[in-house]
Amino acid sequence: MMTRGTVKASELNSFISIRACLPWRVIRAQTWLAGVLILLSFPNAFAESDFSTFWKEFKSAVIAGDKTKVAEMTKFPLSMSYMEKPVKSKQEFLRRYDEIFKGEANAAQCFKSGKPHKQSAEQYDIYCPFKETPNDWENAPIRFIFEQTKSGWKFTGLDNVNE
């Protein structure tokens, strides 16, 4: 039986071993928290790698002429150049595919060597020259626009910056 104010040696040892474990739990929790905070502070790194993956797939689909795959990677309505009606649906996109990708610019040719430019964490674009002057990168007014959406990266617009 214990008297008030005294602790048996075996009880003291178990109390000390419990106390000794607590700092490790705190350190583990702090390490875990620090790791989460580091990951959350770099969302752009993930967005960029996601865009890179998207771009490779999108570019390959356009070069291959895979209209269905390109349509799946497009957000509707698709914004179009000045005075052009937006593309409202996948069916309309498939009908207007040549207008979009072979109209003023030859997108397949442009995408082979062109590089997308980051406008913000949620937007990239690529400028292409006119199809009549495919090597005139100084005058590349045809802009293909890509945006981060709730369902991932999508092709969202086509613009002629000269209009």
Side-chain angles (χ1 to χ4, degrees), residues 9 38 44 55 152:
I38 288 169
N44 290 344
W55 174 245

Side-chain angles (χ1 to χ4, degrees), residues 5 14 45 99 105 110 122 148:
S14 65
E99 171 192 344
C110 170
E122 293 85 29
Q148 176 73 38

Side-chain angles (χ1 to χ4, degrees), residues 27 64 155 161:
I27 290 170
F155 171 45
V161 297

Side-chain angles (χ1 to χ4, degrees), residues 92-108:
E92 185 179 351
F93 179 85
L94 295 172
R95 279 195 313 275
R96 294 176 66 185
Y97 185 89
D98 287 347
E99 171 192 344
I100 298 165
F101 294 99
K102 299 176 184 177
E104 294 184 291
N106 180 338

Side-chain angles (χ1 to χ4, degrees), residues 19-149:
R19 293 278 303 193
C21 291
L22 289 178
W24 288 107
R25 289 183 184 157
V26 171
I27 290 170
R28 283 188 195 139
Q30 288 173 340
T31 303
W32 181 83
L33 180 60
V36 169
L37 291 174
I38 288 169
L39 291 174
L40 291 175
S41 68
F42 293 109
N44 290 344
F46 295 112
E48 287 176 24
S49 65
D50 287 349
F51 180 78
S52 177
T53 301
F54 166 83
W55 174 245
K56 287 175 188 171
E57 287 182 38
F58 187 84
K59 174 173 93 166
S60 295
V62 170
I63 291 169
D66 187 344
K67 297 176 184 182
T68 304
K69 178 74 172 173
V70 176
E72 291 169 6
M73 301 177 83
T74 300
K75 179 183 175 200
F76 299 104
L78 176 67
S79 171
M80 294 293 286
S81 298
Y82 179 72
M83 300 293 289
E84 296 286 328
K85 290 183 181 180
V87 179
K88 296 180 183 176
S89 68
K90 182 178 179 179
Q91 295 76 20
E92 185 179 351
F93 179 85
L94 295 172
R95 279 195 313 275
R96 294 176 66 185
Y97 185 89
D98 287 347
E99 171 192 344
I100 298 165
F101 294 99
K102 299 176 184 177
E104 294 184 291
N106 180 338
Q109 184 176 4
C110 170
F111 291 179
K112 285 179 184 176
S113 58
K115 303 281 186 245
H117 305 279
K118 182 178 181 179
Q119 299 303 321
S120 71
E122 293 85 29
Q123 187 180 60
Y124 280 78
D125 57 23
I126 184 168
Y127 286 85
C128 295
F130 289 112
K131 67 180 175 184
E132 293 83 17
T133 56
N135 296 319
D136 184 6
W137 290 96
E138 295 294 318
N139 183 29
I142 311 304
R143 179 178 175 222
F144 293 84
I145 305 162
F146 308 94
E147 294 178 2
Q148 176 73 38
T149 69

